[in-house]
Amino acid sequence: MIPGRPSQGARRASCILAAGLLAAGLTVAAGPSATATATATGTPDGRAATGNCAAPTLQTLDRLPGLGSFAVVKALGRHGTSAGSSGDVPVYWTGTEVHRVPLPPGYLAGEVAAINRHGLMVGTLRTPSTNATKAFSFRIGSARVRLLPGGIAAHDVNDFGVIAGVRSGNTGVLWKNNTVLRNLTVDTATGEYGGSFTAVGINNAGTVIGDGTQYIEGEWVGVGLVWKAATPGHARTLLPQAAPNEGYSSVATDISRTGRVVGHRLFTWGSPVHWDRPYTQPPTGVAGLPGLGSEGYFTAISPNGRLTVGYAPNRWAGPGEERGAAQVWTGGAMIKLPRLDPLGTAEAHAAADDGRIGGYATGLPDPEDPEAPESAYPVIWRCVGGG
């Protein structure tokens, strides 16, 4: 038994009805604790927050049978489409029904990372025996994925079909129509930047964000990066640049339609932040969920900027204490998203303009292995009234 969790028999007794509803897609309403009371700073995209997520509900999606007990939603498309992985295999969902992404020979694992409004999915494939990876794109109905030339990872795609990712040599790249559109660069002439960096997000304006390393007086630290749209210049570093001996890093994870960048600062643990155009100021911090420690992360923002999502892991939870939670921020207090089980955990990794939030949650019995201590289900939260 995991410390801090009730006995397996008690969990099974309390979850038996919910487990029976999984095939139909369980919906769970948020309880009184769903809304936190912390004070946050700033508003999405520099305007008054209009997002609404005071009473989110939770729905489980199907998993691929026989492939392990972990599945997660990483991307949200139109018409109820979502995507991610199940049992370390790239999948997509139509409603609650799960479908495999057809894999090329030699690739047995991977994940879908993003979907645009036209249904183009992108992600990364992996060969388990060697951990070699390939970037791919895919459309529902296609017989196979398309491997992106020279790509080892694909992280995002905008509505114009421009894909952001990483090429061989571990540097950022953009593709379009299965062709390299732009090789991204950092200014290495001064020796200030390390040789490896990623492109993790792109919006419809063509602004690209990523992550790299910077050398600050004898220490390499992580920095968020921004490349301006249609500009051949090097990346700009998101402020603040780490001060000597402070040992913290900045991580950029997603960008909204209007250019808000979300992510976190790392110093032993993470704290959620956002940057706004023209990216000349340090980030604005957002207060986390009360009772879950000070650690928290932003993983995604909806294209319209109204929903910013992530998680607070509460990794120091003791026996019987509340574990990690998925969270959403609409400009006021951070909101705790409902769990499948009071002592389960959850993370949010995608947000859509229609109020859907994707991720995973643990706590229900695994029908294939009822005694398994943890089983992660792909879930979609829905915000009342949309985002």
Side-chain angles (χ1 to χ4, degrees):
M1 184 176 72
I2 296 178
R5 296 186 60 77
S7 69
Q8 189 68 32
R11 291 181 61 243
R12 293 182 64 189
S14 65
C15 297
I16 187 72
L17 177 59
L21 295 173
L22 283 173
L26 171 66
T27 300
V28 179
S33 64
T35 302
T37 57
T39 299
T41 57
T43 54
D45 298 314
R47 52 183 167 77
T50 56
N52 177 12
C53 203
T57 60
L58 170 62
Q59 182 180 45
T60 62
L61 309 183
D62 294 339
R63 299 185 303 189
L64 293 177
L67 288 178
S69 60
F70 183 86
V72 59
V73 176
K74 284 292 189 75
L76 297 167
R78 299 177 70 198
H79 310 300
T81 302
S82 53
S85 66
S86 179
D88 207 24
V89 173
V91 299
Y92 64 92
W93 290 269
T94 51
T96 61
E97 184 178 1
V98 65
H99 312 270
R100 288 174 177 261
V101 171
L103 303 181
Y107 292 93
L108 304 176
E111 180 179 75
V112 178
I115 315 173
N116 70 7
R117 65 178 286 108
H118 306 296
L120 179 62
M121 304 180 191
V122 301
T124 305
L125 303 178
R126 189 176 75 257
T127 302
S129 60
T130 63
N131 277 330
T133 62
K134 287 286 187 180
F136 75 90
S137 66
F138 174 73
R139 292 184 184 275
I140 294 176
S142 299
R144 61 183 62 86
V145 303
R146 301 181 72 182
L147 299 181
L148 299 172
I152 60 174
H155 296 301
D156 201 7
V157 57
N158 68 13
D159 292 336
F160 297 101
V162 180
I163 301 168
V166 185
R167 64 187 177 105
S168 300
N170 293 310
T171 56
V173 62
L174 303 180
W175 296 274
K176 186 173 183 180
N177 297 325
N178 217 49
T179 301
V180 172
L181 181 66
R182 177 183 176 185
N183 288 312
L184 301 171
T185 61
V186 295
D187 187 2
T188 59
T190 62
E192 185 178 2
Y193 291 94
S196 299
F197 58 91
T198 64
V200 300
I202 183 170
N203 65 9
N204 284 351
T207 302
V208 180
I209 64 166
D211 295 294
T213 55
Q214 191 174 25
Y215 194 68
I216 305 292
E217 295 193 11
E219 183 178 16
W220 287 103
V221 297
V223 292
L225 303 171
V226 176
W227 290 268
K228 293 183 177 180
T231 301
H234 300 307
R236 167 183 289 180
T237 300
L238 290 171
L239 296 176
Q241 296 175 328
N245 302 316
E246 287 195 351
Y248 61 71
S249 297
S250 297
V251 178
T253 57
D254 202 6
I255 184 170
S256 75
R257 187 179 296 126
T258 55
R260 165 159 288 184
V261 177
V262 300
H264 46 271
R265 303 296 309 281
L266 285 173
F267 183 79
T268 306
W269 55 80
S271 57
V273 299
H274 65 81
W275 294 264
D276 291 307
R277 294 183 304 168
Y279 314 119
T280 56
Q281 298 297 319
T284 300
V286 179
L289 294 169
L292 292 181
S294 58
E295 184 177 14
Y297 302 87
F298 279 154
T299 57
I301 186 170
S302 60
N304 63 15
R306 296 180 181 179
L307 299 177
T308 302
V309 303
Y311 62 97
N314 199 22
R315 67 180 75 242
W316 298 280
E321 293 181 343
E322 185 178 8
R323 299 173 67 206
Q327 60 190 16
V328 58
W329 180 61
T330 63
M334 193 79 80
I335 298 167
K336 185 190 305 178
L337 293 169
R339 299 178 174 92
L340 290 176
D341 180 273
L343 293 181
T345 188
E347 294 183 7
H349 288 276
D353 288 349
D354 61 6
R356 288 176 299 150
I357 299 169
Y360 78 84
T362 70
L364 289 179
D366 185 348
E368 296 179 5
D369 186 3
E371 298 302 320
E374 290 284 354
S375 187
Y377 285 90
V379 297
I380 289 181
W381 293 271
R382 296 180 186 274
C383 295
V384 174

